[in-house]
Amino acid sequence: MSKEFNAFEMAQSQFDAVADKLELDEGIRELLRWPLREFHFLIPVHMDDGTVKVFHGYRVQHNDARGPAKGGIRFHPQETVDTVRALATWMTWKCAVVDIPLGGGKGGVICNPHSLSAREQEQICRGWIRQVARNIGPLQDVPAPDVMTNPQHMVWMLDEYEKMTGAHYPGMITGKPVEVGGSLGRTEATGFGVIYTVREALKRAGVPIKGVRASIQGFGNVAQYAAKLFIEYGGSVVAVSCWDNDDHAAYSFLKPDGIDIDFLLSITDRFGTIDKDKAKAAGYVIADPESWIEQEAEILIPAALENQINGDNVDKIKNTVKMVAEGANGPTTPEADEALKARGIFVIPDFLCNAGGVTCSYFEQVQCNQNFFWPKDEVLKRLDEQMTQAFHAVADLAEETGEYMRDAAYMISIQRVAVACHLRGWA
Ligand code: GLU
């Protein structure tokens, strides 16, 4: 990640450009440019070796005019408060574009879970909750998993919250294991949601999905399920990539005739790291981390971190590429956006493309509130409907107005949030 990149500045500049187009008043503009509330705190942990290590934790609530703040918690060694602010802001737009009654929030801890024992991770989760328990909850702010956090982390957090409050609040956190109030389909939801939007975009373009090639960055939860459904629909995935903690390096795994997803999953650990030797023996080419971007494919799916398609590498994108579907949050910088626009590449913007996760989190909350759980096919059917509807609303607006897809999505979201703020008398 280049030094100058600041995700929050990027989120603000995207917002500013659309606020200008919408001619938003100064007051509402200022309100939406910044998070409403932020919590920065320390989490001291007694490590397995007997020392005490102090971790930095965050929760940022960007806006809750449409409902309780909602968004994941990331564990990442390079986490910064500005990354969390950006991600919280994008959550506001994400919940608004799919029209669920939630606001935007995000949390983080600066840590590397790869080098922490399960007990140490549990202490971080419980410590995180102890520091913000008064400011989160099912009616205030509802956390969820994100980069390097998983259902086990969520259930430790739930347990700590319920210990503190002395009651059951299964709707205080989502992405829980199904055995403890989670929703069927939540694990698949983000990756599947990405592909529902890709499927609809191909339909609008009149291109059958069969034989279409996608190159995917990442092999975590989002990338794995996106690859799975894309292949199920008849597409082929020509590359994925992953981080290898032993080497402190990332690699692309290339397979021009299409990956075998079940095989790759069988040689992948719980952090999404693929065994290079086994992959090589099966005919995969192990290449530079950025190789995924320069593959001959029709679709690029960045499904890892922010700032992955930028001014330095956007020109490496082959002419075969007609679409970028942003599974990650903030993968494309404004500079790269301009280049994609100029080349006429169709972009499904992050906060629309990857909204399947939070949409299913919303369903999880609804099910928890009812204390009645739906079968998986019902969850996925509702998810598909919500994503499909949101995608076409944005694509219709983009078509009618000639706006770039990202700007059209922003226009819908900003207007929805601004109306809620106005109605509440905030601005
Ligand atoms: N972390 C996911 C996202 O960025 C899901 C958030 C949620 O389920 O609340 O959208």
Side-chain angles (χ1 to χ4, degrees), residues 56 92 100 142 145 190 192 195 240 280 290 320 328 359 377 413:
H56 290 250
T92 302
I100 54 179
V142 184
T190 314
F192 277 16
I195 302 306
V240 296
K280 215 170 177 169
E290 275 205 357
T320 52
T359 303
D377 52 356
S413 295

Side-chain angles (χ1 to χ4, degrees), residues 13-24 406-408 410-411 414:
S13 88
Q14 290 172 339
F15 169 78
D16 290 341
V18 180
D20 286 344
K21 282 185 209 247
L22 294 173
E23 297 178 5
L24 283 194
R406 189 183 314 283
D407 292 348
Y410 262 113
M411 287 163 95
I414 292 173

Side-chain angles (χ1 to χ4, degrees), residues 291-310:
S291 297
W292 74 278
I293 207 175
E294 49 193 26
Q295 295 310 300
E296 296 253 343
E298 286 68 43
I299 305 177
L300 295 183
I301 306 182
L305 291 170
E306 57 279 357
N307 187 26
Q308 299 302 301
I309 304 180
N310 50 47

Side-chain angles (χ1 to χ4, degrees), residues 67-82:
K70 184 84 192 80
I73 304 167
R74 309 207 306 182
F75 284 177
H76 201 274
Q78 266 104 46
E79 196 64 284
T80 68
V81 68
D82 272 345

Side-chain angles (χ1 to χ4, degrees), residues 285-350:
V285 175
I286 320 293
D288 290 345
E290 275 205 357
S291 297
W292 74 278
I293 207 175
E294 49 193 26
Q295 295 310 300
E296 296 253 343
E298 286 68 43
I299 305 177
L300 295 183
I301 306 182
L305 291 170
E306 57 279 357
N307 187 26
Q308 299 302 301
I309 304 180
N310 50 47
D312 295 338
N313 64 14
V314 68
D315 291 337
K316 292 187 183 166
I317 296 178
K318 291 268 189 308
N319 283 332
T320 52
V321 172
K322 302 284 179 272
M323 190 191 300
V324 173
E326 298 181 334
N329 292 310
T332 309
T333 64
E335 195 183 348
D337 249 350
E338 290 309 315
L340 298 180
K341 251 184 237 180
R343 285 175 61 176
I345 294 177
F346 184 82
V347 172
I348 310 178
D350 50 1

Side-chain angles (χ1 to χ4, degrees), residues 70-72 91 94 106 142-146 174 186 190 329 354 357-358 361:
K70 184 84 192 80
M91 285 309 301
K94 192 181 299 193
K106 203 81 172 198
V142 184
D146 200 273
T174 60
R186 177 64 184 84
T190 314
N329 292 310
N354 70 35
V358 75
S361 277

